[in-house]
């Protein structure tokens, strides 16, 4: 994905039976599964792994649900009140966001066992 903003779009009707989101015509980042349209026009359905903050900025970690045998997770900066995603182009920011994701994920795992 290149540096322009990705738009969150609506879910498919067949998702309704397993979805826990409060449905509307547009998905939001509070949903567990979101659909991301890349800059190239490709649509990816992704599981929201975690939303977290770093340096007073909101980030989101998502995992594509198809064609992802390695279980890759993508990190994005959340913008415009959580309605859009922005790529993290700066390698230093990305490394800090990845480290913050690891720490936040570890905390979430600990909460599950308390």
């Amino acid at each position: 994905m290149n540096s322009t903003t990705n738009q969150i779009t609506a879910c498919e009707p067949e998702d309704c039976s397993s979805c826990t989101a409060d449905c509307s015509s547009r998905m939001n980042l509070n949903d567990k599964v979101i659909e991301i349209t890349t800059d190239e026009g490709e649509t990816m359905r992704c599981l929201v792994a975690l939303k977290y903050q770093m340096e007073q900025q909101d980030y989101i970690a998502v995992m594509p649900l198809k064609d992802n045998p390695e279980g890759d997770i993508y990190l994005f900066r959340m913008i415009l009140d959580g309605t859009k995603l922005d790529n993290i182009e700066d390698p230093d920011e990305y490394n800090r966001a990845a480290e913050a994701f690891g720490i936040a994920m570890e905390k979430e795992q600990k909460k599950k066992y308390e």
Side-chain angles (χ1 to χ4, degrees), residues 32-114:
K32 294 184 189 279
V33 176
I34 61 174
E35 197 170 85
I36 298 173
T37 303
T38 67
D39 300 324
E40 293 79 25
E42 177 185 341
T43 300
M44 294 189 317
R45 293 191 70 231
C46 298
L47 174 69
V48 175
L50 188 67
K51 292 181 286 183
Y52 62 100
Q53 272 199 337
M54 178 190 80
E55 301 168 2
Q56 299 178 358
Q57 172 64 53
D58 293 324
Y59 291 86
I60 189 168
V62 299
M63 183 171 65
L65 294 172
K66 288 186 179 178
D67 301 323
N68 190 14
E70 301 294 320
D72 291 334
I73 293 179
Y74 299 111
L75 304 178
F76 294 97
R77 188 181 314 110
M78 294 177 12
I79 57 174
L80 298 176
D81 297 325
T83 60
K84 291 189 180 183
L85 304 179
D86 195 23
N87 291 319
I88 305 169
E89 297 295 328
D90 178 51
D92 290 332
E93 179 187 2
Y94 187 88
N95 289 335
R96 290 191 319 275
E99 185 175 334
F101 166 69
I103 292 167
M105 196 65 157
E106 198 172 291
K107 287 179 183 178
E108 287 297 313
Q109 290 297 320
K110 285 181 182 178
K111 283 182 190 177
K112 288 183 180 182
Y113 295 107
E114 291 179 348

Side-chain angles (χ1 to χ4, degrees), residues 17-30:
S17 63
S18 62
C19 184
T20 59
D22 182 19
C23 228
S24 68
S25 62
R26 187 175 157 80
M27 292 185 73
N28 64 56
L29 298 179
N30 291 320

